[in-house]
Amino acid sequence: MSRLFLNPSLALIVVFLIAPLTASGADTKVFGVELRFPASESSPPEAPNTTSRDLVSLREAQDRLATLQAEKGPYHPDLSHMLLAEAERARSVGQSRQALEWYDWALHNIRVNNGLGDPAQLPVLEEIMALQRQMGDREALSGRIEYFYRIMGSGRRPYSPTRLEASLAYLRWHQELLMVESWQGESRRVLQLYEGGKLLQERVCTSEKWSREFCEAFTLAHLGTLYLIEHHLITDSVIDGPAEGINQPFVSPDMQPNPSEQRLNQLAKTAYSAGARLLKTNIKYVENKTTLELALADWYWFQGRRGQALDIYDRLRKGQPPMFSDPVPLPALPTLDRDPQLSERIQTVSAVFTVTDGGRVTDLDVELVDNEADASVIWVARSLRRLRFRPAFNDQGRIDQKVQLTLQAMR
């Protein structure tokens, strides 16, 4: 992956390119980095069947395009209009690869005729990226996102709502990559995501023009990176005490940490204070403080600071009791989400368990919904047991609560 935020050749992606393809809004729950709920919202639609008539029609379209190219030349602007129409038709009948080929051709035509920075490319790139996501081509999709980001301004000022939404989606994309890819030898990349997100968050939250609308979102996005660092580097602690120690520190193959590995390991050791400081500092910049206050309580709880978390939970639930009626897996953040379409393997499982009043999973029973002969639920059970939940509350306080879910396990 190319350099994050610090390289002017980076690309910008608008938020609708990712969000519509996964479950959205407050209903989304991500269980760690391997499990996702609800499965029904994240399943891609079935591809339509291609009939023999469709295939004949596509061959005729190829002939028409070849004739127009021969008559008017390979870069005539009329080609792009026909290419886009035929690409959309190919996609509608389930011919994704043919559609992708024609969208690529149309994109090249637009760039030649209108220039490399022409905004007419954006809807074409949107269609290409949606197809690549649907096809599960993570590497190709990442390259397109980089290019899109560059067209849209590379996240540089002056800001606009579109550019800021794009930067949030770009953060989300690289967090998704770090949820699915190995971190071995990637300390510099992780650091660049952390430092680039921190810079964006600070600029937005201290801006009189943009802080009210965007400070909360950038704060939570940056917190997501800290959660990922926690997940990969910090040991799972019991909920009764703070997380301590490094579980999987970055170390070079020769066992001599390089500067970026040393910096990231140090960051992991101070992640708790960095997250708490981030949230407490930026609460003053947002109009509705409840979301960041709840995020702060969740961060305390996740880190084992039970007393500090309960002080905030107790205060917040007086005004919004339904928000605390069910246990919630942590982290509960909008940017941390995985698209099953980009997973190498998906298993649907049914899980029944109890979340204790301390936020831990007990009495766990996991079964496969689709009975694959070579499938295993052991790693799913292990992932669930590692989770920390915000516990459920009733009028008297914290309670144990039984949970039954259907989840998608992604590898």
Side-chain angles (χ1 to χ4, degrees):
M1 186 174 66
S2 60
R3 303 294 180 259
L4 301 179
F5 298 98
L6 308 180
N7 186 327
S9 68
L10 291 180
L12 206 263
I13 178 171
V14 289
V15 71
F16 59 79
L17 295 174
I18 296 178
L21 299 176
T22 59
S24 59
D27 292 336
T28 297
K29 293 181 181 178
V30 182
F31 294 71
V33 300
E34 296 170 333
L35 306 173
R36 196 181 188 286
F37 168 84
S40 60
E41 292 186 14
S42 58
S43 300
E46 292 185 6
N49 294 323
T50 308
T51 67
S52 57
R53 180 178 295 180
D54 293 328
L55 292 175
V56 170
S57 179
L58 291 175
R59 283 195 295 270
E60 291 173 347
Q62 287 176 323
D63 291 340
R64 289 195 301 273
L65 288 164
T67 299
L68 182 60
Q69 182 181 23
E71 291 176 351
K72 297 189 175 183
Y75 305 120
H76 195 280
D78 287 352
L79 267 172
S80 64
H81 301 294
M82 184 183 293
L83 284 164
L84 291 174
E86 296 301 341
E88 176 57 33
R89 191 154 61 88
R91 183 180 183 181
S92 70
V93 298
Q95 294 296 301
S96 298
R97 294 195 180 280
Q98 180 62 78
L100 192 57
E101 180 183 327
W102 283 337
Y103 278 129
D104 266 326
W105 187 358
L107 180 64
H108 184 65
N109 183 284
I110 292 169
R111 292 172 64 191
V112 169
N113 284 288
N114 300 353
L116 298 180
D118 188 79
Q121 298 176 79
L122 301 182
V124 185
L125 278 166
E126 175 190 343
E127 298 295 340
I128 289 172
M129 286 186 279
L131 273 172
Q132 289 170 334
R133 183 174 283 273
Q134 181 181 322
M135 296 163 68
D137 193 341
R138 195 163 63 221
E139 183 177 353
L141 177 59
S142 190
R144 296 292 185 175
I145 289 171
E146 300 291 342
Y147 177 62
F148 205 163
Y149 196 35
R150 184 166 64 249
I151 292 174
M152 294 287 286
S154 301
R156 294 188 295 264
R157 290 182 282 197
Y159 293 142
S160 69
T162 302
R163 286 191 171 196
L164 291 174
E165 291 285 4
S167 295
L168 285 169
Y170 190 69
L171 280 170
R172 177 176 179 169
W173 168 247
H174 285 291
Q175 287 176 347
E176 184 174 8
L177 287 181
L178 291 175
M179 292 169 78
V180 302
E181 296 178 350
S182 169
W183 285 30
Q184 186 65 40
E186 297 292 347
S187 58
R188 188 175 182 184
R189 180 173 74 158
V190 179
L191 267 180
Q192 287 168 340
L193 178 62
Y194 173 82
E195 291 169 351
K198 186 172 187 289
L199 178 63
L200 275 168
Q201 174 270 311
E202 289 174 347
R203 286 178 173 177
V204 169
C205 288
T206 56
S207 166
E208 185 175 345
K209 183 175 183 179
W210 301 113
S211 62
R212 176 172 294 187
E213 185 177 358
F214 286 98
C215 181
E216 177 185 301
F218 276 93
T219 298
L220 295 178
H222 187 49
L223 184 66
T225 301
L226 280 170
Y227 267 114
L228 285 177
I229 292 171
E230 284 275 304
H231 175 82
H232 280 270
L233 299 182
I234 301 294
T235 56
D236 287 338
S237 68
V238 294
I239 201 71
D240 301 288
E244 295 178 354
I246 302 297
N247 186 33
Q248 300 173 17
F250 280 102
V251 178
S252 301
D254 61 1
M255 303 305 292
Q256 295 297 320
N258 63 40
S260 62
E261 291 168 344
Q262 293 174 347
R263 168 77 178 93
L264 190 57
N265 289 332
Q266 183 60 36
L267 176 60
K269 293 177 182 178
T270 60
Y272 161 69
S273 59
R277 184 168 57 251
L278 169 74
L279 292 162
K280 289 190 285 188
T281 298
N282 293 310
I283 283 175
K284 64 186 177 187
Y285 294 119
V286 300
E287 192 169 11
N288 182 357
K289 304 184 186 308
T290 300
T291 300
L292 290 191
E293 288 177 341
L294 181 60
L296 177 59
D298 286 342
W299 182 250
Y300 284 144
W301 188 263
F302 185 84
Q303 296 283 350
R305 268 68 175 185
R306 179 178 286 188
Q308 292 166 287
L310 288 174
D311 286 344
I312 302 175
Y313 285 151
D314 289 340
R315 175 166 51 81
L316 292 177
R317 70 187 182 90
K318 291 177 183 177
Q320 302 183 57
M323 189 166 62
F324 295 90
S325 59
D326 295 306
V328 175
L330 301 178
L333 294 172
T335 59
L336 292 186
D337 198 4
R338 278 184 62 179
D339 185 351
Q341 295 178 110
L342 298 179
S343 299
E344 294 181 1
R345 185 177 183 184
I346 304 171
Q347 293 174 216
T348 304
V349 299
S350 173
V352 180
F353 54 91
T354 297
V355 176
T356 69
D357 64 359
R360 286 297 186 178
V361 170
T362 63
D363 305 324
L364 175 63
D365 183 24
V366 181
E367 294 182 356
L368 285 169
V369 173
D370 42 358
N371 294 316
E372 303 176 55
D374 61 342
S376 171
V377 298
I378 295 175
W379 67 276
V380 178
R382 188 183 303 119
S383 296
L384 280 168
R385 289 194 181 98
R386 282 201 305 260
L387 288 178
R388 304 168 201 182
F389 282 74
R390 179 198 308 154
F393 291 79
N394 64 14
D395 292 341
Q396 283 72 47
R398 288 177 289 135
I399 58 172
D400 294 355
Q401 185 158 310
K402 190 171 184 178
V403 177
Q404 183 170 356
L405 298 172
T406 298
L407 300 171
Q408 280 187 320
M410 298 169 288
R411 303 194 82 168

